[in-house]
Amino acid sequence: MKKLVILISGRGSNMEAIVRAAIPGAKIAAVIANKPTAAGLAFARAHGIEAEVVDHTAYADRDAFDNALAIAIDRHEPDLVVLAGFMRVLGDAFVRRYEGRMINIHPSLLPSFPGLHTHRKAIESGVRLHGATVHFVTPTLDCGPIIAQAAVPVGADDTEASLAAKVLVQEHVIYPQAVRWFVEGRLRVEGNRVTVIDADLPSDGWM
Ligand code: GAR
């Protein structure tokens, strides 16, 4: 059984998609939020999952928060740390501690539009395709080896909100899928490239 710790900051719909996927061989040991108001905490508790808060405002600086977060995570001895709408930038030492066993979902087709406001940037830049990316976390923000991507068309009438909604539907498909691949030991990383062994999606994680 592979143990997962999922980190959230708010709504937690990606965490919910992973919980609902009931991935064989995966146990969600805990959901940890950096905000006491994170709505996803209630869903986790209602599903019998340990839900905790490590409130970043209680720490003097990023290192202190990262240390407290690492202690909370390590208590569960996870095989995989899943960032699901976790909106704090993590320091290099924290990221290295979980290298190869921490993944993130980002609402754009990386390497396009790292950082915030991805849907607005996609509309403003005039791209016809936008989407979401699941990737391993490395010290450079939104830059790690890509595990899965899904694309959606950008329509002439799309707004930031409508585009976000379309992308979110795809996030809920690719994130549980990527977690399942990890749990099944099917991800091979060479440099920045990830191969999915015996991928059951067309072209290794492209939807
Ligand atoms: C998702 O769209 C996720 O891709 C994004 O925040 C949202 C969280 O939604 N993450 C980032 O922007 C990370 N930089 P959720 O809380 O409902 O899963």
Side-chain angles (χ1 to χ4, degrees), residues 10-15 84-87 104-107 115 142 168 171:
R11 178 177 57 186
S13 70
N14 278 289
M15 174 270 296
F86 188 71
M87 303 306 281
N104 179 48
I105 189 152
H106 182 77
D142 300 330
L168 195 64
E171 292 186 38

Side-chain angles (χ1 to χ4, degrees), residues 128-152:
R128 297 293 201 266
L129 285 174
H130 183 47
T133 303
V134 179
H135 64 95
F136 282 103
V137 178
T138 56
T140 309
L141 188 71
D142 300 330
C143 250
I146 290 171
I147 300 165
Q149 291 188 305
V152 301

Side-chain angles (χ1 to χ4, degrees), residues 13 37 57 66 77 95 98 100 128 141 158-159 169 178 190:
S13 70
T37 54
T57 62
D66 284 2
E77 300 181 338
V95 170
Y98 300 104
R128 297 293 201 266
L141 188 71
D158 264 319
T159 62
V169 170
E190 280 161 290

